[in-house]
Amino acid sequence: MLITLGVISMDDAAALAQSRQGHVLALVAVGAGIAATLLCSVLGIGSDITGVIVSATAGIPAVIGLVGTRARRDKSADLRRLQHGELRRPVSSVVLLLAVSILAVDSALGVLLVAIVPPDAPAGVGWLVVLAIFVASFLMATYASHYLDPRPYAMASVAVLGMVAARVVILVVTLSSIGAPEAIPLYLGTLVLHVFTLGAVLLGVFVGRRRHTRFVAEKAARLESELRLDAPSDARTQEPSRARTRIPPRSRLRSASLGAPLRRRRRGRNESG
């Protein structure tokens, strides 16, 4: 009982440390995103390309946090948590990564739309790009929903609102730097479409949570198989110590060769007697 309580307290302490680290990395990401936005405005870079640069810059701290958590985790403790249906990741890092991923897809497709599609193209091409943004947001939210406990819908909404806030800052700074502040209301009006992005994300969370139990079970099975594959390597490291305690085959043969004449002499004495 005391051991169990000790393990739980250690897990809670690790979770608290991960949460604090996630908050710090989120603040670092926000600062890096703002710095990248100002730098792009000074260089005269367009809003869509700025969005790609900002999302990449802000996403680096989130990726660092998640990779560091994965490298420091104890597989056995992680398996115990998975068997109880718990997926422990820094929620703030997951929210940040979801927000910058949606921003990156939105900005990258905007760059492709301007660079590839001619100005006289049908309006349906632009709507196809918008639909692609919604589909990508849905798929990303489906996966991220497994790591947004205990309030997945609220955390997913925060990610979308953070993406929209970043887009507003990028548009205001970019349009002001090029001397077109009168175009700000027009561009901000297009952000109303992100209401549908929010709907796609919430739908993705709904679909992901419906198969959450299966997702956790599959992840636990994969982790258990990894632990089984690691077990033979530990057994191989112990084999030399066991081998040193065995009697060498040559010594057994030598003792057998010395014992055979003695047995013959005793047998001959018994027969003569």
Side-chain angles (χ1 to χ4, degrees):
M1 182 66 180
L2 293 176
I3 296 175
T4 303
L5 292 175
V7 171
I8 292 174
S9 62
M10 288 175 63
D11 289 346
D12 292 339
L16 182 60
Q18 291 178 5
S19 179
R20 290 175 178 173
Q21 182 186 17
H23 295 335
V24 172
L25 291 175
L27 293 176
V28 172
V30 171
I34 294 174
T37 302
L38 295 176
L39 180 61
C40 290
S41 66
V42 171
L43 298 177
I45 300 175
S47 61
D48 288 328
I49 299 178
T50 300
V52 175
I53 296 174
V54 169
S55 59
T57 305
I60 291 175
V63 173
I64 291 175
L66 292 175
V67 172
T69 301
R70 183 180 180 88
R72 291 190 302 270
R73 72 175 184 176
D74 183 0
K75 289 186 178 181
S76 300
D78 207 6
L79 180 60
R80 288 195 299 268
R81 288 192 292 266
L82 287 172
Q83 290 171 346
H84 288 83
E86 182 183 356
L87 280 170
R88 183 170 292 179
R89 295 292 184 275
V91 178
S92 55
S93 297
V94 176
V95 171
L96 177 61
L97 195 59
L98 179 60
V100 298
S101 298
I102 298 174
L103 178 62
V105 171
D106 181 36
S107 302
L109 290 178
V111 172
L112 291 177
L113 182 64
V114 174
I116 298 176
V117 179
D120 56 349
V125 177
W127 286 109
L128 286 176
V129 174
V130 174
L131 181 62
I133 296 173
F134 296 156
V135 172
S137 301
F138 168 81
L139 295 176
M140 289 185 290
T142 301
Y143 183 79
S145 64
H146 302 293
Y147 302 96
L148 295 177
D149 282 334
R151 295 179 292 274
Y153 294 98
M155 294 296 100
S157 301
V158 169
V160 176
L161 292 177
M163 182 273 299
V164 174
R167 176 60 70 191
V168 170
V169 172
I170 290 171
L171 286 175
V172 170
V173 172
T174 303
L175 294 176
S176 299
S177 64
I178 63 176
E182 66 279 358
I184 293 177
L186 176 62
Y187 280 94
L188 292 181
T190 60
L191 297 179
V192 177
L193 292 174
H194 285 300
V195 173
F196 298 100
T197 304
L198 177 61
V201 168
L202 294 180
L203 180 61
V205 173
F206 174 76
V207 173
R209 299 303 298 185
R210 283 182 65 87
R211 61 180 303 271
H212 180 69
T213 304
R214 180 181 175 184
F215 179 85
V216 174
E218 292 175 351
K219 196 172 184 65
R222 288 194 300 268
L223 185 57
E224 190 173 2
S225 64
E226 290 179 6
L227 290 174
R228 288 176 181 174
L229 291 175
D230 293 340
S233 62
D234 297 335
R236 284 194 297 268
T237 58
Q238 297 175 1
E239 284 180 2
S241 60
R242 291 199 300 266
R244 285 192 294 269
T245 61
R246 295 173 182 172
I247 300 174
R250 184 176 300 174
S251 63
R252 289 203 300 267
L253 292 174
R254 185 178 301 168
S255 62
S257 62
L258 292 174
L262 293 175
R263 286 195 294 269
R264 293 196 196 99
R265 292 176 184 175
R266 290 174 184 173
R267 192 179 306 156
R269 291 176 182 174
N270 292 332
E271 289 176 355
S272 62

